[in-house]
Amino acid sequence: MSIAIGILMGLVSGLLPGVGNLTLMMLLFPFLSYFDPIDLLVIYISMASISQYIGSIPAICFGIPGEPSSLPAVSESKNLKNSNEVAQAIFGSAFGSFVGGVLILCTCLLLSDYIYLIKYFYSTYLISALLILTAIVLCFTATNTLIINFIMLFIGIGLGLIGYNKTFNIEILSFDSMYLFSGLPLEVVLVSLFAIPQILSAFSTRDLTFHMIESVKLYTVRPINTLISTIIGFFAGLVPGLTTELSSLMAYSLATFRRFSPIDKIVASETANNAGAFSQTLPLLIFGIPLIGSQALLLTLLEQKGFFINFIDFSTLMPTLSISLLIVNAFGLFIAWIGAKYLLYVYSINIKTLLSFILILLFTAICYSGYANYTLTYYIVVFVILLPFSIYLKRYNTMPLVYGFITHDIIVDNINRLFYLL
C-alpha cells in the first residue's frame, strides 16, 4: 500500500505544474501522519523516483517542467522535429531512467556496509557545515536575488523560533498564549508561504494544445553513455540543495559538449536525475541530514513518530527500500513507456481548474489538521494572517524560507553545540 501511495503521489507531482513533492506532502500531511516511519520512507522514495519518470513527459510534449530536474528536457523539446522523435525521447528517457535507477540501487546494495561505516567519521562540525552549506546553496540557486534569498532564510528561521525554544530554554514571542507556546503550526506556514505562492505562480501557465502520442517506440540504450550519466547523477545528487537538478544539468551539459542529438541529450539528463533521486536520500537515511525541503518535511514527520535516523542501522533499512525501489522502477518504466499517451489526457483538462481544486484541497487539509489537533480556530486565524503574504510571495521562490522554518531546530541546536565545542 505504501508503494502504491508513493507511486500515485509521484504521478501527481510529476504531471502537474506547480505541484512538486514538497507541495504534495504538505497537502497530504494529515494523511501521512498516520503511517509508521518505515512506510513513510517507502512512500517518499517511491514518490521521488516516480516523479522523475513522469516529469519528463509534459516537459518533452509541452515544454512544461513537471518537476525542476526536467528543465533540460524542456530546453530540447523544441528541437524535436516530429511526433516520432517525441515518442522516442519519452520512451528513451523511461529506459534510461530505469537502467540508471537499478544500477545505483545494486551498487548501494553491494557497498551498503561501506556506506554505513562512513557515519563513524561524521561529527558535529561536519553536520553543522552540511546544514549551513545546504542553506547557503539554496540562497545562491533560488530564482531570487541573493539578498532576498538570505532574508527569506532568516525569516523562516525566525518564524520557526516563535514559541518555547528547547535549546535556550526560553519563550520567544509567545505572548503567554498556550497556542503560540508550541510554535506556529507547520502545515499552515508551509501551505501559506510555499504551496499557495507556487500554485498561484503556476496559474500563468499558457493554455496547452492537447495531442496524443500515436505509437510506442523502442529506444536502443547506449551502455557507455548510460553508465556515464548514471555516475554523474549519483554524485551530483549528493550536493545539498541541488540534488537531481544538478544531476540533470551536468549530464545534459556533457551531452551537449559531445554533440549528442536532442533525443540523446534528453535521455542523458533523465537518466542522471533518476540516479540522483536515490543518492539524494543517502545523507538523510544514514546521517539524518535533509538536503532538500521535502526531505526536511519527511524528517519532521519521522521525528514526530520518535524515529531518529542517526541511531538506526542503515543496513536494516536497505532490504525494504531496495525491494520497494525495484518495484517502483519497474512500474515507472511501464507507465512512462506504455502509459505515456494515456497520462497526457490530464492535459486535456483545463490546468487552471485543476490548480483551483488543489487550492481548495490545501485549505481543507489545514482545517482537518486544526480539527484533529483541537485547534481549528487557531489554524484558521494563522492562515488568514499569512494569506496576504501568500499572494505577495507568488513572485518569488520561497524555498529558502521553507527550509529555514523546517530545519530551524536542527540548525540552531547544531550551531549552539558547535559554539560550545569551540
Side-chain angles (χ1 to χ4, degrees), residues 15 19 108 138 174 179 243 251 269 285 303 360 364 394 409 421:
L15 279 176
V19 184
C108 288
L138 278 175
S174 64
Y179 296 116
T243 61
S269 67
L285 295 173
E303 291 180 345
I360 294 171
T364 303
K394 70 178 183 180
D409 272 339
L421 286 175

Side-chain angles (χ1 to χ4, degrees), residues 83-246:
S83 59
N84 179 57
E85 290 193 353
V86 169
Q88 285 196 42
I90 288 177
F91 307 131
S93 297
F95 278 114
S97 295
F98 177 78
V99 173
V102 171
L103 279 176
I104 291 302
L105 176 59
C106 293
T107 302
C108 288
L109 277 173
L110 292 173
L111 301 178
S112 61
D113 290 337
Y114 298 97
I115 294 174
Y116 169 73
L117 290 173
I118 296 175
K119 81 176 193 178
Y120 292 113
F121 297 95
Y122 266 61
S123 64
T124 299
Y125 297 102
L126 186 54
I127 292 174
S128 301
L130 282 173
L131 288 168
I132 294 170
L133 175 62
T134 303
I136 292 174
V137 169
L138 278 175
C139 290
F140 273 93
T141 57
T143 53
N144 309 308
T145 65
L146 184 61
I147 293 176
I148 288 177
N149 286 333
F150 273 107
I151 290 173
M152 284 191 178
L153 175 67
F154 288 115
I155 288 175
I157 294 174
L159 289 173
L161 289 173
I162 292 175
Y164 173 72
N165 185 273
K166 62 182 180 181
T167 302
F168 303 112
N169 194 28
I170 58 173
E171 293 182 36
I172 300 175
L173 299 177
S174 64
F175 304 108
D176 294 325
S177 168
M178 65 175 184
Y179 296 116
L180 287 174
F181 182 82
S182 58
L184 295 177
L186 176 71
E187 306 95 304
V188 180
V189 173
L190 296 186
V191 167
S192 302
L193 301 184
F194 181 78
I196 291 179
Q198 290 286 104
I199 292 173
L200 291 178
S201 176
F203 265 91
S204 60
T205 301
R206 69 183 188 277
D207 292 331
L208 304 172
T209 302
F210 176 67
H211 61 276
M212 290 297 299
I213 298 174
E214 297 297 338
S215 59
V216 174
K217 297 292 181 181
L218 292 176
Y219 176 84
T220 303
V221 176
R222 293 162 172 76
I224 300 300
N225 295 339
T226 300
L227 180 61
I228 292 172
S229 296
T230 300
I231 293 172
I232 290 173
F234 177 82
F235 287 103
L238 297 172
V239 177
L242 297 177
T243 61
T244 55
E245 288 91 333
L246 182 61

Side-chain angles (χ1 to χ4, degrees), residues 15 44 53 64 76 86 119 174 178 216 223 237 241 268 296-297 314 325 336 343 361:
L15 279 176
Y44 182 82
Y53 277 98
I64 294 175
E76 286 299 320
V86 169
K119 81 176 193 178
S174 64
M178 65 175 184
V216 174
L297 184 55
F314 174 70
L325 274 172
L343 290 175
L361 287 180

